Amino acid sequence: MIRRKAPKISEDDVVKPMGFDDFEQRLGDMMRGERATMGKSLLDVQRELRIKAAYVAAIENCDPSAFDTPGFIAGYVRSYARYLGLDPEEAFATFCAESGFTTAHGMSEAASGLRRKEVIASPSLGANDPFASSTTPFAPAKDGFFANIEPGAIGSSLVLLGLIAAIGYGGWSVLNEIQRVQFAPVEQSPNVLAELDPVAPSLPSEAAQGDVAVAGVFTPPADALDRLYRPQALDVPVLVARDAPISTLDPTMVGSFKPEEPQIDFAAMSADPEPPAPSVPQVVEAAAPGVEMVAVRPAWVRVRAADGSVIFEGIMEPGDTWKVPQTEEAPTLRVGESGAIYFTVNGEHYGPAGPRGVVTAKLALSVDNLTAKYTVAALEDHQELASTVAELQR
């Protein structure tokens, strides 16, 4: 029996299980994995690195055509790799190997951002822009114009417009009704009143036809006064009592109880005595003495109430007086010429407010304060005050 020799199996033909290191790991997958581990989106990378999200997506996809200026690709790739914690030089070398990108000299035409029209055609809007694509997971699709309009809002807007139109029409109608002028017929015409001339004499028909003027008393027509005044009948007649009420009779003035009339003393009447004051019961206490300011020379004064409001301000000339109002809290005085202001309390003069040429401020104008702070000013010692008092008493 002829035995066939079994074919020899080489080690290369044996299929072995593949491990993690057996798979080819691309740069984009590594970068996306590191970015996902950091929990960052493309917009987060754009905000932190100041690199457009479209450029970051192009680096992960190894697409150099998305960059406007090829000279910046190396810097963008190294910055993004350094951000992810990768080796910048190794990441850039892998990017160049996968994308076929080669660095160009800075003065060469390839490093320029200006591209020739015949070589590079303008890409479409959604070709390399990840934000324009609807499949981008981090950028939602743009809504249409009518997507933000709710049907209920349209009905509410129409109701509001109708309400505004109704209110406007109602206001316009009321305004026209108010401005409308209505005429009502009267009992007599103004033309009839214009014909009445109480000054012109009544001429007979014969004199009116001739040139002779006739003088006489004017006699108005019989119905002239009836047209001018026509009394109206009362609904209820007005009755006047024949005698006055008994309660109005005074027994001391009429009848048997009337006292005898006293004898008139004509001599006493010629003396013209003052009539006695009627005795009126006093129900309130007597008024407290007030304070009055008197100026003997020109002086500027300002009086403030307790709440701070100015109740009097001005320049008081010699002989001017001002009565201080009596309030619960006394007002305060500020005067520029203190030696020109005196105070009259209960007929006596106190002061002056201060030395001559001195400003006095916050002086309480109360009777107790003035009588306690100042002494009575004798007229023989204050000549200006004496002259002013004499002028005021004239």
Side-chain angles (χ1 to χ4, degrees):
M1 185 174 180
I2 300 174
R3 296 183 60 184
R4 292 185 178 181
K5 184 180 288 186
K8 189 175 182 180
I9 300 175
S10 62
E11 295 180 0
D12 296 338
D13 296 337
V14 178
V15 179
K16 298 180 180 179
M18 301 178 64
F20 177 77
D21 296 334
D22 297 333
F23 292 94
E24 182 181 3
Q25 188 175 9
R26 304 184 64 85
L27 178 64
D29 298 336
M30 185 185 303
M31 288 185 172
R32 279 189 286 269
E34 293 295 334
R35 180 168 55 83
T37 303
M38 297 173 62
K40 303 290 184 179
S41 64
L42 293 179
L43 296 179
D44 296 335
V45 177
Q46 173 181 331
R47 183 172 57 254
E48 296 178 6
L49 288 184
R50 301 295 190 272
I51 300 176
K52 293 183 179 179
Y55 292 167
V56 177
I59 293 174
E60 294 179 352
N61 296 330
C62 295
D63 185 11
S65 61
F67 295 90
D68 296 334
T69 305
F72 295 156
I73 294 179
Y76 287 159
V77 174
R78 290 188 177 95
S79 298
Y80 186 42
R82 193 178 296 107
Y83 174 78
L84 296 177
L86 303 177
D87 186 5
E89 299 299 334
E90 183 180 356
F92 178 65
T94 307
F95 177 82
C96 295
E98 294 181 1
S99 63
F101 173 75
T102 58
T103 58
H105 191 268
M107 300 299 294
S108 63
E109 184 179 359
S112 176
L114 300 177
R115 304 182 180 181
R116 293 178 299 177
K117 296 181 180 180
E118 62 274 7
V119 176
I120 302 176
S122 60
S124 60
L125 181 61
N128 297 320
D129 191 359
F131 291 99
S133 178
S134 60
T135 59
T136 305
F138 55 84
K142 185 178 180 180
D143 297 335
F145 176 75
F146 295 98
N148 298 328
I149 300 178
E150 297 182 0
I154 299 177
S156 302
S157 301
L158 294 178
V159 172
L160 180 60
L161 292 177
L163 182 61
I164 293 175
I167 294 176
Y169 178 75
W172 179 75
S173 302
V174 172
L175 183 62
N176 288 341
E177 188 69 23
I178 293 175
Q179 293 182 349
R180 183 178 300 173
V181 180
Q182 298 180 355
F183 296 93
V186 296
E187 189 175 347
Q188 53 188 7
S189 175
N191 296 331
V192 177
L193 297 179
E195 294 177 359
L196 299 178
D197 190 1
V199 179
S202 178
L203 299 177
S205 59
E206 295 82 7
Q209 298 176 0
D211 298 335
V212 180
V214 180
V217 180
F218 171 69
T219 304
D223 58 343
L225 296 179
D226 183 63
R227 291 198 304 269
L228 291 177
Y229 172 73
R230 178 175 298 174
Q232 301 292 333
L234 298 176
D235 296 336
V236 179
V238 178
L239 303 177
V240 180
R242 183 185 63 179
D243 299 331
I246 300 177
S247 60
T248 60
L249 300 178
D250 189 1
T252 60
M253 302 299 296
V254 296
S256 303
F257 298 98
K258 179 179 179 181
E260 297 182 358
E261 296 182 0
Q263 299 294 330
I264 300 176
D265 189 1
F266 295 97
M269 293 179 59
S270 61
D272 194 12
E274 296 182 358
S279 58
V280 179
Q282 183 177 356
V283 296
V284 295
E285 61 181 3
V291 178
E292 186 176 12
M293 294 192 307
V294 180
V296 299
R297 291 192 308 275
W300 174 86
V301 296
R302 176 192 291 168
V303 181
R304 291 183 179 272
D307 58 354
S309 60
V310 178
I311 58 178
F312 178 74
E313 182 178 5
I315 297 177
M316 297 183 64
E317 299 296 336
D320 292 348
T321 60
W322 187 74
K323 189 174 182 181
V324 180
Q326 296 183 2
T327 56
E328 183 177 356
E329 296 184 11
T332 58
L333 170 68
R334 180 182 179 88
V335 56
E337 174 60 19
S338 301
I341 300 299
Y342 291 82
F343 307 99
T344 303
V345 180
N346 201 13
E348 297 181 349
H349 297 83
Y350 292 83
R356 186 167 185 173
V358 177
V359 177
T360 301
K362 297 182 180 180
L363 176 61
L365 298 178
S366 62
V367 176
D368 298 338
N369 183 41
L370 295 178
T371 54
K373 189 173 183 179
Y374 301 104
T375 59
V376 178
L379 299 181
E380 57 273 10
D381 297 337
H382 301 268
Q383 298 298 329
E384 294 178 339
L385 177 61
S387 302
T388 304
V389 173
E391 291 291 335
L392 294 176
Q393 291 179 354
R394 288 184 179 179

